[in-house]
Amino acid sequence: MKNEWPLWEIFIRGQHGMSHRHVGSLHAPDAEMAIKNARDVYTRRNEGVSIWVVEANHIAASSPGDKGPLYEPSESKVYRHPTFFDIPEEVGAM
Amino acid sequence: MYAQMVKSEATNDDPEKLAAFQERIDRGEKIEPKDWMPEGYRKTLIRQIGQHAHSEIVGQLPEGNWITRAPTLERKAILLAKVQDEAGHGLYLYCAAETMGVSRDELTEMLLDGRMKYSSIFNYPTLNWADIGAVGWLVDGAAIMNQVPLQRTSFGPYSRAMIRICKEESFHQRQGYDAIRKMAEGTPEQKKMAQDAVNRLWFPSLMMFGPSDKDSTHSEQSMKWKIKINTNDELRQKFVDQTVPQIEFLGLDLPDPGIKWNEERGHYDYTDPDWSEFFDVIKGNGPCNVDRLAARNKAWDDGAWVRDGLLAHAQKKAARKHAAE
């Protein structure tokens, strides 16, 4: 326990042009080894073209209790969606 | 099933919170690590996911036993890839368990000192190459039966681990069937080996699903929480129904004279495994229990200097970088 390798969160770019996506985590002594281990654990079947690793304790996360203050304000702003506006058919594609 | 007889933990939580939690599960919402959850849910899942992870890791031993003796270079490469997948599956699952607040080292130590279990099936030996085919086909086949529904389990990290695992598992079963098919279609001696492997591994495979529903005391709460989706007997029946035609295709005899198609039920009847043997293996008296735990302990002890050395190196490098800044 005292000597456990730190936990790293792994992000993989699946294909060129896509963004990196969180795929899981693993333990490694440092970033270099984390990338090597991520190669073995998360890309055994060509799942990636690029790997990011971030030490898990460097990630700050919102908490479930903040759901209201964080996301409720956007619920009342339906005009942010294009379907809010009626555009006459004669105007054509918009 | 890689997790057998997972004892469910009693919960002593605020009834209001419990009810709200149950509603979330009933709505099909996923529970994420930072969400409130009953203590019993957390403890039961740590035990279940941990046991599942340990099974993947210990499961490498019976197959690893034949990597250096695979009959061809191709079979060797395939088996190596399969065993490497099992290591990966163990890692996905350990990470899922760790999100619930247990550390990797704690999980490892609980396996090594016998406080946590792994699937009974891995306490049986792999005596020859035919066993490797039968393990991939039957053991991974039984595991898939259990893991496919678990993709829908209520705990997000567990569900995501199961989805990854299921994507890879089908290769395991097919390579096993392919290997044993080669033997079943080979010389009379090879066919005999294939038959012997099926005969020996059939009942231990049925035991993987855990005791019969009437003796399975922990199912109800787990099913309510959607950390168990089907009952043991449901999954066992599904496995038998799927596997019998596969045995027949190989031209092998059925390993149980009690297997008969039951028109009325629309299922195969079969003989229950010897449950006293199952409980004996769980207790530590299977053919390989001692070897398996000894091998895991040795690997952990022998690897200590590597773990410590790499960590010391990383810390030294970080300190040097810090000093230079």
Side-chain angles (χ1 to χ4, degrees):
Chain A
M1 254 154 274
K2 51 193 180 308
N3 260 349
E4 196 171 275
W5 289 347
L7 189 70
W8 299 77
E9 297 299 333
I10 311 302
F11 301 80
I12 306 257
R13 185 198 301 287
Q15 299 167 34
H16 292 288
M18 306 290 280
S19 50
H20 285 75
R21 225 179 124 186
H22 182 246
V23 292
S25 48
L26 51 77
H27 289 271
D30 56 25
E32 191 189 335
M33 284 300 294
I35 289 175
K36 287 188 171 142
N37 290 351
R39 196 277 310 257
D40 288 342
V41 180
Y42 292 107
T43 66
R44 287 194 302 282
R45 288 175 175 79
N46 273 327
E47 290 100 330
V49 295
S50 164
I51 299 172
W52 285 354
V53 300
V54 184
E55 217 182 305
N57 62 17
H58 290 157
I59 291 184
S62 64
S63 84
D66 294 339
K67 220 165 87 187
L70 284 179
Y71 311 116
E72 259 164 33
S74 79
E75 277 171 23
S76 57
K77 298 175 180 60
V78 282
Y79 43 81
R80 280 182 168 152
H81 298 279
T83 46
F84 179 75
F85 305 95
D86 281 329
I87 301 292
E89 222 165 279
E90 300 90 290
V91 177
M94 183 180 284
Chain B
M1 184 162 184
Y2 277 1
Q4 296 157 322
M5 301 185 62
V6 176
K7 194 168 152 267
S8 52
E9 292 275 349
T11 264
N12 208 352
D13 293 287
D14 176 8
E16 228 168 89
K17 278 185 170 174
L18 263 179
F21 179 80
Q22 189 61 49
E23 268 170 37
R24 288 192 64 193
I25 290 191
D26 295 343
R27 275 199 301 271
E29 276 180 37
K30 295 282 182 231
I31 308 301
E32 295 296 339
K34 289 179 106 186
D35 295 347
W36 183 88
M37 61 185 83
E39 229 6 71
Y41 180 85
R42 181 191 302 275
K43 284 188 183 155
T44 308
L45 260 184
I46 288 177
R47 188 172 290 154
Q48 178 174 333
I49 302 173
Q51 194 185 111
H52 197 154
H54 297 326
S55 299
E56 303 282 355
I57 298 300
V58 176
Q60 295 178 98
L61 295 170
E63 291 183 295
N65 181 30
W66 280 89
I67 290 174
T68 57
R69 294 175 287 172
T72 67
L73 187 57
E74 191 188 35
R75 292 282 177 200
K76 179 175 179 165
I78 292 169
L79 184 59
L80 200 56
K82 198 246 180 206
V83 172
Q84 193 191 9
D85 273 356
E86 305 299 359
H89 296 180
L91 294 180
Y92 306 155
L93 287 160
Y94 280 132
C95 287
E98 285 175 83
T99 65
M100 306 199 101
V102 62
S103 82
R104 176 75 59 91
D105 281 4
E106 281 174 280
L107 288 167
T108 305
E109 280 162 12
M110 284 193 274
L111 167 69
L112 296 182
D113 66 21
R115 270 177 294 158
M116 281 181 94
K117 301 282 179 215
Y118 53 90
S119 176
S120 59
I121 187 72
F122 301 118
N123 291 313
Y124 289 86
T126 44
L127 303 177
N128 57 48
W129 180 254
D131 286 14
I132 296 303
V135 164
W137 165 37
L138 299 175
V139 174
D140 288 69
I144 291 172
M145 278 297 157
N146 170 49
Q147 291 174 158
V148 165
L150 275 178
Q151 293 178 101
R152 292 180 282 119
T153 188
S154 61
F155 187 54
Y158 192 26
S159 155
R160 292 189 284 274
M162 286 327 309
I163 290 169
R164 289 192 77 85
I165 287 174
C166 285
K167 266 192 204 151
E168 300 177 347
E169 200 79 68
S170 171
F171 146 60
H172 297 178
Q173 193 185 15
R174 293 175 81 141
Q175 66 83 33
Y177 194 67
D178 187 67
I180 203 153
R181 195 176 140 204
K182 195 92 185 164
M183 297 193 73
E185 293 170 356
T187 64
E189 214 182 349
Q190 287 171 327
K191 189 173 178 183
K192 215 171 126 194
M193 281 171 74
Q195 181 72 59
D196 169 61
V198 173
N199 290 350
R200 271 184 295 109
L201 285 162
W202 175 255
F203 285 111
S205 298
L206 292 190
M207 292 178 200
M208 288 175 70
F209 298 95
S212 172
D213 291 349
K214 57 183 190 298
D215 304 315
S216 184
T217 45
H218 310 299
S219 291
E220 206 180 320
Q221 179 64 71
S222 288
M223 290 184 86
K224 222 174 126 199
W225 277 336
K226 284 195 196 152
I227 55 184
K228 187 177 172 127
I229 311 287
N230 303 92
T231 72
N232 297 350
D233 286 337
E234 275 168 22
L235 291 171
R236 191 169 10 250
Q237 181 70 62
K238 228 173 143 188
F239 175 74
V240 171
D241 289 349
Q242 179 191 282
T243 310
V244 168
Q246 295 170 351
I247 300 173
E248 284 169 341
F249 179 86
L250 294 176
L252 297 178
D253 297 331
L254 295 173
D256 161 19
I259 294 176
K260 266 188 201 80
W261 179 252
N262 184 325
E263 194 65 50
E264 209 172 295
R265 291 199 308 127
H267 292 290
Y268 284 99
D269 290 336
Y270 60 92
T271 311
D272 251 350
D274 175 359
W275 291 116
S276 63
E277 176 182 321
F278 170 76
F279 288 113
D280 208 33
V281 173
I282 292 268
K283 253 187 258 151
N285 303 322
C288 299
N289 295 58
V290 174
D291 282 359
R292 300 296 185 232
L293 265 193
R296 286 315 307 154
N297 271 288
K298 183 175 186 309
W300 180 249
D301 294 342
D302 289 355
W305 69 274
V306 180
R307 294 192 300 276
D308 293 346
L310 283 174
L311 190 65
H313 175 69
Q315 283 165 345
K316 207 165 95 184
K317 237 179 23 183
R320 207 176 290 149
K321 194 174 161 224
H322 191 70
E325 273 165 4

